[in-house]
Amino acid sequence: MHRGRTTHFIMAVYGTDQALICLLIFTLAGAEVQDSLSPECKQFVYMGTLPRGLEEQFFKKICQVYKGRPRFVTLYDTFSHIPVYSAYTFKRSDGSKKVDVPWMYEPQLSTASGSREMEQFPSENVQKSFEDAQAVLDDYSDSVIFERGQLNPDEHQAHPDDKAATYTLTNVVPQVREFNIGSWKHHQHIIRRRLNNYCRGTAYVVTGVTTSGLTIRRHNINRLGIPTYLWSAYCCTNFDHNAPYSERSKFPAFAAHGLNDKENNKVQEMTVQQLEDFLKRETYVRSSFQVFYDNCAPPNSGLPMPSVLQN
């Protein structure tokens, strides 16, 4: 559990008698609420299937749209004002960041008549009209420990517009600075190099969080859930079978998690099944929880994914 260090956050209490999960999706069709991802959004998840077995309220599926095109998918918690995970396709990249992009928000979270595209933050007075449903810039302004950490990092995208689309607060969680620019950033570099060098097809990535109830507060109100752990997993079924074993053994899928803390924040790599077992212990998921459809088994391979990493 993340240890509190400042008065910016307290322990929030979640009721155990809340209603069943309500999953809503806002897509390209004029902000229409749908029960499943549209074809345009399914391209970002393996076999068009989102992670299954999540158990929590206040979750909304967002097809993140920028400049008229879908860019990635986010499952967003409108109670804690942070994403549960973002799912995206990795693009070959040199790791550069796009630093001249203004932070954006998601109009569809506040009103069904809102724009289908993420938009630049307006004036402070206008922000108050939608801050009940999502994070705003002021939520991060007074925090000295935490900074905005992207779940879909711009370093994992190539086209400038795909990079720009990652700069929405619906893709951001509070990360301890030392973790964000240290071990987690290093892990993102490792995955970028691995997928650049050895993935020959599409790589599907899901990056998410666990929480314990700690929050960042503003004006004495709980505003942002603070992740305890960040986790990530990728799936690439078309990979270089002649790669060194140390890399080949991490295909077609592999995963990792790290503690969102100033210390003891080493990122640990593991199989996807080991990550799933970890998340079943650490967060609200059903026993059927699965990150990737059919455990990212290559189509028509007839071979199950290994449950443990071989030496």
Side-chain angles (χ1 to χ4, degrees):
M1 179 179 294
H2 183 85
R3 299 184 299 275
R5 290 190 179 85
T6 76
T7 58
H8 289 303
F9 53 87
I10 65 169
M11 182 67 72
V13 178
Y14 298 102
T16 58
D17 58 348
Q18 295 173 330
L20 295 175
I21 184 171
C22 178
L23 296 179
L24 302 176
I25 178 166
F26 295 83
T27 65
L28 297 178
E32 179 184 1
V33 177
Q34 297 183 347
D35 294 328
S36 59
L37 289 178
S38 67
E40 295 89 347
C41 301
K42 287 185 177 181
Q43 64 179 298
F44 303 112
V45 289
Y46 180 64
M47 301 299 288
T49 305
L50 289 171
R52 69 178 189 182
L54 291 165
E55 296 179 351
E56 188 53 279
Q57 290 191 88
F58 313 110
F59 291 173
K60 293 186 178 181
K61 300 171 191 171
I62 306 171
C63 186
Q64 302 275 16
V65 181
Y66 181 74
K67 289 190 175 181
R69 292 183 55 188
R71 306 292 173 170
F72 61 102
V73 174
T74 296
L75 185 66
Y76 194 78
D77 183 345
T78 58
F79 180 78
S80 297
H81 303 136
I82 59 171
V84 179
Y85 64 73
S86 284
Y88 60 95
T89 51
F90 172 85
K91 313 298 192 307
R92 287 180 176 273
S93 167
D94 61 4
S96 62
K97 295 181 68 66
K98 189 172 177 61
V99 297
D100 59 343
V101 181
W103 286 100
M104 294 174 281
Y105 75 105
E106 178 54 62
Q108 297 177 63
L109 284 177
S110 301
T111 172
S113 61
S115 170
R116 70 183 189 180
E117 296 197 21
M118 59 184 74
E119 295 182 354
Q120 183 176 347
F121 273 96
S123 66
E124 180 179 355
N125 290 336
V126 179
Q127 289 185 39
K128 294 184 183 300
S129 67
F130 56 76
E131 66 180 8
D132 285 347
Q134 59 190 292
V136 296
L137 292 172
D138 285 349
D139 293 329
Y140 287 90
S141 61
D142 293 330
S143 177
V144 296
I145 293 178
F146 301 98
E147 56 187 29
R148 292 165 291 208
Q150 298 167 312
L151 297 189
N152 173 8
D154 61 346
E155 297 100 321
H156 284 189
Q157 303 298 327
H159 191 279
D161 288 346
D162 287 333
K163 287 179 177 291
T166 66
Y167 286 85
T168 169
L169 289 195
T170 52
N171 179 48
V172 162
V173 298
Q175 278 188 256
V176 174
R177 175 174 173 77
E178 289 80 0
F179 179 55
N180 188 31
I181 67 174
S183 57
W184 190 252
K185 186 179 185 68
H186 179 64
H187 172 69
Q188 291 175 331
H189 288 340
I190 289 175
I191 299 307
R192 180 180 60 82
R193 291 194 296 265
R194 182 181 299 158
L195 296 179
N196 272 349
N197 292 334
Y198 304 114
C199 180
R200 297 295 179 256
T202 301
Y204 301 90
V205 186
V206 182
T207 300
V209 303
T210 75
T211 58
S212 64
L214 294 175
T215 66
I216 291 177
R217 292 171 62 83
R218 179 165 59 86
H219 301 319
N220 206 33
I221 298 174
N222 293 339
R223 285 298 302 164
L224 303 177
I226 298 175
T228 306
Y229 286 89
L230 266 71
W231 58 268
S232 187
Y234 64 80
C235 167
C236 172
T237 58
N238 182 7
F239 60 93
D240 183 359
H241 290 266
N242 294 317
Y245 178 76
S246 60
E247 298 295 331
R248 188 173 73 249
S249 62
K250 298 177 176 65
F251 285 94
F254 220 57
H257 67 60
L259 183 66
N260 184 30
D261 198 276
K262 186 174 182 178
E263 301 174 348
N264 302 318
N265 56 22
K266 180 180 179 181
V267 176
Q268 179 181 351
E269 284 201 275
M270 62 195 67
T271 67
V272 175
Q273 182 172 336
Q274 288 169 335
L275 173 66
E276 291 170 346
D277 291 341
F278 170 81
L279 293 177
K280 289 172 186 177
R281 297 191 301 269
E282 293 292 326
T283 192
Y284 299 106
V285 297
R286 292 193 295 268
S287 59
S288 61
F289 175 72
Q290 189 174 69
V291 178
F292 298 115
Y293 174 82
D294 202 20
N295 293 316
C296 186
N300 303 319
S301 67
L303 298 175
M305 279 291 293
S307 59
V308 295
L309 178 63
Q310 297 177 352
N311 294 323

